[in-house]
Amino acid sequence: MKVDEIQLKKTYHNGKEGDGRRSRYTINWDNANGITYCETHTGRIGNCSIGNFPKWAKGEVKG
């Protein structure tokens, strides 16, 4: 994905199937701290740089 495709309050997945599949709900966007997200499978809050999040995200979760 590209940086301009990432939006707040959306859920993105890593493109893997089965046990390796992960999804993250974007909470906040801050140029200094990156993207704050919540891992939907654990509830853990984390940060990812604006440059790395689009590399991790393979698409938006629909539905």
Side-chain angles (χ1 to χ4, degrees), residues 8-10 25-29 35-38 45:
L8 291 179
K9 312 263 188 251
K10 301 280 183 176
Y25 178 78
T26 55
I27 298 171
N28 191 25
W29 181 293
I35 297 172
T36 303
Y37 61 86
C38 177
I45 303 293

Side-chain angles (χ1 to χ4, degrees), residues 1-2 4-17 21-26 40 53-54 56-63:
M1 297 191 75
K2 296 181 181 173
D4 60 351
E5 295 177 301
I6 304 297
Q7 298 177 18
L8 291 179
K9 312 263 188 251
K10 301 280 183 176
T11 303
Y12 297 92
H13 64 84
N14 64 352
K16 297 182 181 177
E17 296 297 327
R21 187 169 180 89
R22 299 286 182 258
S23 57
R24 294 175 174 176
Y25 178 78
T26 55
T40 57
F53 193 88
W56 176 89
K58 303 300 184 232
E60 183 181 340
V61 175
K62 303 291 183 185

Side-chain angles (χ1 to χ4, degrees), residues 20 44 52-53:
R44 184 180 78 85
N52 283 335
F53 193 88

